[in-house]
Amino acid sequence: MRPLVSVIVPNYNYARTLELCLSALERQTYRNLEVIVVDDRSTDDSVEVAHRHGVRVVVTDTNIGAPAARNLGAGHARGEVLFFLDSDLALADDVVERAVELLTTDPTLGVVCGTYDPEPLIPDSLVERYRSLQLHYWISGDEGEISTIYSALFAMRAEVFREVGPLNPALRHSENAEYGHRVTQRYRIVLDNRIRGRHDHDDRLKVVLSKFFHRARLHIPLYLRRPDFNGGPANSSRGWGSLAALFAVLAAPLPALLGPAWLAVPLVLLAGSIAADLGMYRFVRRYAGLPFTLYFTGVHFLVNVTVAVAVFVGAAQCVFSSRFRRTYDLPAEV
């Protein structure tokens, strides 16, 4: 008999997308599944939406965050396979089927992760379109064996979850990095682009920049422990692109201070920042056209500057704060 799959959907105030998420699950070609919505004390009608779809609903006592909500859902799951899915993501129809096939044919595989489609689930703004294309390109380009997890969309055997342990509930912004680090001590993690769905990305620039800043800053202690980690400075030119963008900003006053010839310095740094991820810009040009690519380039420049600042802030915190250096030490209850 095919294994039971427990789809665990943490949710907090995403009633609009939860409807689309659960409808997509009802269209899955893999039928032997249970759906558990873990509602993290939503103040909208998320619980009513979940009940309308006839799924199991677990409501937290207080707002505990997505990692802890995933752990709670796993504790209620009966399936041999756990499929973790954020409530702002609608899967393609054959995704659960493909994930089960991968996990049940390779015992060395601990986690299978998926990617986002280039189009957002609910298009609301140009910023959201930027984020959709940027994440699609970055994540899809990592297809194959990876060292992190993408927590919005991943599946694993229940026995592996019990062996590795739950996600760290203290890491609301970077639980994926720490959990991937733990999993890869014993198993492989694979990203398969056939495991995919449409995601409702953030649609405000302030929110996007804030997430980039906090995630980049919080990853620094882990990169220092494991420099080969996905996205870390040892395996990506994107880090250099972020630094070039920041130094382009810092060099911008040089022409006014030292003469027009010094304009070449910020321009060269800007060109270097773009060259560090040139394939992404070419993809956006082919997919969305030149006008949007110019907009995309401007937004991504701000992202690069934000990430570079976050790296320096994180590095300073590592120097001066032993507590920050121990961010990825597991608490006793995990």
Side-chain angles (χ1 to χ4, degrees):
M1 183 177 177
R2 308 187 80 185
L4 174 66
V5 176
S6 297
V7 183
I8 299 163
V9 184
N11 175 77
Y12 176 67
N13 284 346
Y14 276 101
R16 181 173 72 155
T17 58
L18 182 61
E19 174 72 39
L20 300 173
C21 173
L22 297 179
S23 295
L25 288 173
E26 292 168 353
R27 296 191 297 269
Q28 289 299 301
T29 57
Y30 193 92
R31 307 307 302 170
N32 190 24
L33 54 83
E34 64 171 357
V35 179
I36 303 170
V37 172
V38 183
D39 189 78
D40 201 14
R41 305 303 297 181
S42 292
T43 58
D44 62 8
D45 62 344
S46 293
V47 172
E48 289 76 8
V49 169
H51 281 309
R52 283 202 303 270
H53 283 266
V55 302
R56 187 176 180 184
V57 180
V58 177
V59 179
T60 61
D61 294 330
T62 59
N63 183 269
I64 59 177
R70 294 185 185 102
N71 294 339
L72 181 60
H76 285 270
R78 298 181 295 114
E80 299 168 61
V81 172
L82 306 179
F83 196 116
F84 295 94
L85 175 67
D86 280 3
S87 60
D88 55 0
L89 206 158
L91 296 177
D93 295 352
D94 60 348
V95 164
V96 175
E97 183 109 36
R98 293 187 182 279
V100 170
E101 179 184 355
L102 290 168
L103 289 170
T104 55
T105 56
D106 186 350
T108 71
L109 183 58
V111 172
V112 58
C113 296
T115 188
Y116 302 137
D117 286 342
E119 293 295 329
L121 180 61
I122 304 174
D124 291 313
S125 70
L126 290 177
V127 169
E128 184 170 13
R129 195 176 190 208
Y130 155 80
R131 187 65 166 139
S132 183
L133 290 172
Q134 176 260 322
L135 271 177
H136 168 77
Y137 183 83
W138 277 19
I139 296 176
S140 300
D142 282 339
E143 186 172 31
E145 193 161 336
I146 58 176
S147 53
T148 186
I149 64 166
Y150 292 105
S151 54
L153 175 56
F154 74 102
M156 60 196 305
R157 295 187 300 279
E159 62 183 4
V160 173
F161 182 84
R162 290 190 292 269
E163 181 182 349
V164 174
L167 291 96
N168 188 339
L171 301 176
R172 293 197 179 197
H173 292 284
S174 56
E175 80 282 2
N176 62 315
E178 186 277 329
Y179 201 65
H181 178 65
R182 255 193 289 160
V183 170
T184 52
Q185 306 308 302
R186 311 181 189 194
Y187 296 96
R188 296 186 308 117
I189 302 175
V190 167
L191 171 67
D192 191 312
N193 285 340
R194 297 173 301 173
I195 312 297
R196 69 201 193 281
R198 288 199 172 192
H199 186 263
D200 189 43
H201 300 278
D202 295 310
D203 57 12
R204 291 180 297 159
L205 182 60
K206 180 180 178 180
V207 175
V208 170
L209 295 179
S210 175
K211 286 188 175 182
F212 267 106
F213 178 84
H214 288 297
R215 289 171 181 173
R217 179 181 64 86
L218 288 170
H219 278 84
I220 297 303
L222 186 58
Y223 291 153
L224 293 177
R225 291 186 181 188
R226 188 174 174 183
D228 65 328
F229 206 79
N230 275 86
N235 67 350
S236 175
S237 64
R238 290 174 182 143
W240 296 109
S242 293
L243 289 175
L246 175 60
F247 287 122
V249 172
L250 297 177
L254 290 179
L257 296 173
L258 302 175
W262 286 87
L263 180 61
V265 176
L267 290 178
V268 168
L269 288 167
L270 176 60
S273 177
I274 294 173
D277 211 347
L278 188 59
M280 177 182 67
Y281 297 102
R282 287 173 172 168
F283 162 75
V284 175
R285 171 67 179 85
R286 291 192 304 269
Y287 190 91
L290 180 59
F292 183 79
T293 303
L294 296 175
Y295 171 84
F296 182 101
T297 302
V299 173
H300 198 66
F301 178 79
L302 295 177
V303 166
N304 272 328
V305 172
T306 300
V307 169
V309 171
V311 168
F312 283 109
V313 171
Q317 284 186 273
C318 283
V319 171
F320 295 107
S321 171
S322 60
R323 181 178 179 182
F324 187 70
R325 290 196 299 271
R326 298 194 305 269
T327 295
Y328 295 96
D329 292 348
L330 289 177
E333 63 270 19
V334 173

